[in-house]
Amino acid sequence: MTSTATASLATDLGAYRTSLRAYLNNGDALDRWRGKHHGSTEDRIAEHAALMAHLYQDGWNRYGWPAEAGGHGGDERHRGVLYDELSAAGLPVPDPQLMLETLGPAVVRFAPDLAARYLPEYLRGANWWGQGFSEPEAGSDLAGLRCRARREGEHYVLSGQKLWTSHGATASRFVCLVRTGTPESRHRGLSMIMVDAAAPGVSVRPIALASGYRELAEVFFDDVVVPADRLVGEEGQGWAVAMYLLQWERAMYAWQSAAVALRRFRELLGQVAGKPLPDGAATRIGECYGDIVALRARSVRTVRRLAAGETVGPEASVDKVLLATAETSLHDLARDLLGTDFVLGAGADTGDWRADWWFSRSATILGGSAEVQRTILADHVLGLPKEPRA
């Protein structure tokens, strides 16, 4: 592709969609990733990284990212189109894209040198990052984090533990929220820093979920030395960086998940076509489709606001609530339509639905519980009066 054509697709979203669709449906070069089942999280992420490398080689997943970070320009809508078109073509949205959407924009904004150094290799699937926020004693209360980084000359020395780290078992680097101030400083004493998973003193303990898949991990830091230029933002600016990235975690993850849910919804209907279905199946199918479409209808507005450079505030919790609703709705529908086969079936398709159903149970917890999201909406969006103290 010529540089003129590349520049044109970065400014013409419709042309990008048309060209990408033609690429994804041209020949059998991408069939390796269609309808593929994986025996472990590690195998799945490795295969998805290979898909990222393929897309990067031909330039398609570089749109939506700045040229300074290895991209071709464009904005969040280009990434949204990529996820839509991958799903429409029967291809997976690569798992590492999840953390890229969550962490990438914040690194581009607050640490452009790190973005220039490491984002290109992320886009081509050579490395990816894990998010190190939650801790055993802090949970979702980020202001109570204890994992500590102390400054020693041109380095920081990290000590502590992170829990529920997404992609922790395979990530090459961790973007961690750590305490650089006193415990009493709460959110004002936090900083964000990028740590190599292979650095001396880092140990990773994968967490197997009920499905047996090791989607998360515990990460331990034992006097890990990290160069000071790995800070994302200034020292003490971690809370502001975390609030900034929350916009993308809410909006782009929701859009990405809706694209995947529509593909899985179509696959489910194909699996049960011609088979006897339980009473009320047609209504359940319609309700589930409505849940996914409602998520997209809400999410598209948030994605457009991000693309326009607007700041998305607490109202993004609506996207998170709708996402959890759609994910549980889809996987409960699969459980009920597949019936006994869902529980006892030995096929790879059924096994994937079982594993995904287990993971979907966390949809109302991960990234902020549904109760917390509704409280945010009540307090900061609707301005409802607080409940009287007992």
Side-chain angles (χ1 to χ4, degrees):
M1 191 179 297
T2 66
S3 58
T4 303
T6 299
S8 174
L9 294 184
T11 57
D12 188 337
L13 193 64
Y16 171 70
R17 181 189 292 275
T18 301
S19 300
L20 173 60
R21 184 175 297 173
Y23 167 81
L24 295 175
N25 292 289
N26 181 28
D28 56 5
L30 294 165
D31 284 352
R32 164 183 168 184
W33 292 282
R34 287 189 171 93
K36 189 76 180 287
H37 305 283
H38 305 282
S40 71
T41 303
E42 291 83 351
D43 288 347
R44 187 183 70 237
I45 292 183
E47 270 297 291
H48 285 191
L51 175 57
M52 291 179 73
H54 192 91
L55 294 170
Y56 183 90
Q57 177 184 320
D58 293 328
W60 295 107
N61 68 344
R62 300 175 67 180
Y63 291 92
W65 297 100
E68 298 78 11
H72 280 332
D75 57 47
E76 285 76 6
R77 296 171 301 165
H78 283 79
R79 283 143 42 200
V81 166
L82 172 65
Y83 305 141
D84 265 7
E85 293 301 324
L86 285 171
S87 292
L91 290 159
V93 173
D95 277 6
Q97 292 282 159
L98 163 61
M99 283 297 106
L100 180 61
E101 285 294 354
T102 301
L103 301 170
V107 174
V108 169
R109 166 72 180 275
F110 292 95
D113 289 344
L114 292 179
R117 206 183 311 167
Y118 298 122
L119 204 62
E121 63 185 39
Y122 198 136
L123 287 170
R124 64 172 180 267
N127 287 301
W128 51 92
W129 308 336
Q131 183 186 41
F133 285 13
S134 296
E135 294 182 9
E137 299 297 327
S140 299
D141 178 20
L142 297 183
L145 295 182
R146 297 181 179 182
C147 184
R148 182 158 187 79
R150 67 177 187 276
R151 182 74 183 252
E152 292 189 359
E154 296 302 313
H155 297 83
Y156 284 91
V157 180
L158 265 65
S159 299
Q161 178 187 357
K162 293 294 178 181
L163 186 62
W164 312 124
T165 302
S166 300
H167 298 170
T170 60
S172 313
R173 296 185 175 83
F174 300 110
V175 178
C176 297
L177 199 57
V178 296
R179 181 159 299 286
T180 48
T182 64
E184 294 74 23
S185 61
R186 298 285 288 170
H187 63 275
R188 293 184 301 280
L190 299 175
S191 301
M192 196 169 292
I193 195 164
M194 183 181 287
V195 186
D196 289 344
V202 176
S203 54
V204 177
R205 183 186 300 164
I207 299 174
L209 304 184
S211 63
Y213 284 76
R214 308 195 305 179
E215 307 284 358
L216 306 168
E218 291 178 277
V219 183
F220 301 88
F221 303 97
D222 184 10
D223 288 338
V224 179
V225 177
V226 183
D229 67 1
R230 292 292 191 86
L231 275 181
V232 180
E234 302 294 329
E235 182 175 314
Q237 200 180 12
W239 183 263
V241 180
M243 293 302 101
Y244 179 84
L245 72 78
L246 201 59
Q247 303 172 83
W248 278 268
E249 185 181 68
R250 295 283 182 266
M252 296 306 296
Y253 178 44
W255 182 265
Q256 202 178 72
S257 299
V260 174
L262 277 178
R263 173 175 62 82
R264 295 291 279 151
F265 181 77
R266 290 192 297 270
E267 291 172 352
L268 175 62
L269 296 188
Q271 267 182 266
V272 301
K275 297 180 180 178
L277 297 177
D279 292 344
T283 300
R284 292 282 309 283
I285 291 170
E287 289 173 345
C288 178
Y289 183 71
D291 290 335
I292 299 171
V293 171
L295 170 61
R296 281 176 63 85
R298 166 68 193 189
S299 180
V300 70
R301 183 168 181 269
T302 313
V303 172
R304 285 174 179 159
R305 290 182 62 191
L306 289 176
E310 296 181 26
T311 299
V312 179
E315 64 274 22
S317 289
V318 174
D319 302 52
K320 179 68 171 64
V321 171
L322 291 175
L323 170 60
T325 301
E327 290 201 339
T328 52
S329 174
L330 171 64
H331 293 93
D332 284 349
L333 178 68
R335 177 199 59 196
D336 296 342
L337 294 190
L338 293 171
T340 304
D341 200 36
F342 177 85
V343 182
L344 301 177
D349 286 342
T350 310
D352 283 351
W353 278 115
R354 272 199 304 270
D356 290 348
W357 182 88
W358 279 113
F359 193 77
S360 73
R361 301 306 94 181
S362 66
T364 56
I365 303 172
L366 288 178
S369 71
E371 289 77 10
V372 169
Q373 303 310 311
R374 290 189 170 93
T375 299
I376 290 172
L377 292 170
D379 291 348
H380 301 289
V381 178
L382 300 175
L384 298 180
K386 295 185 182 300
E387 293 184 9
R389 294 180 181 277

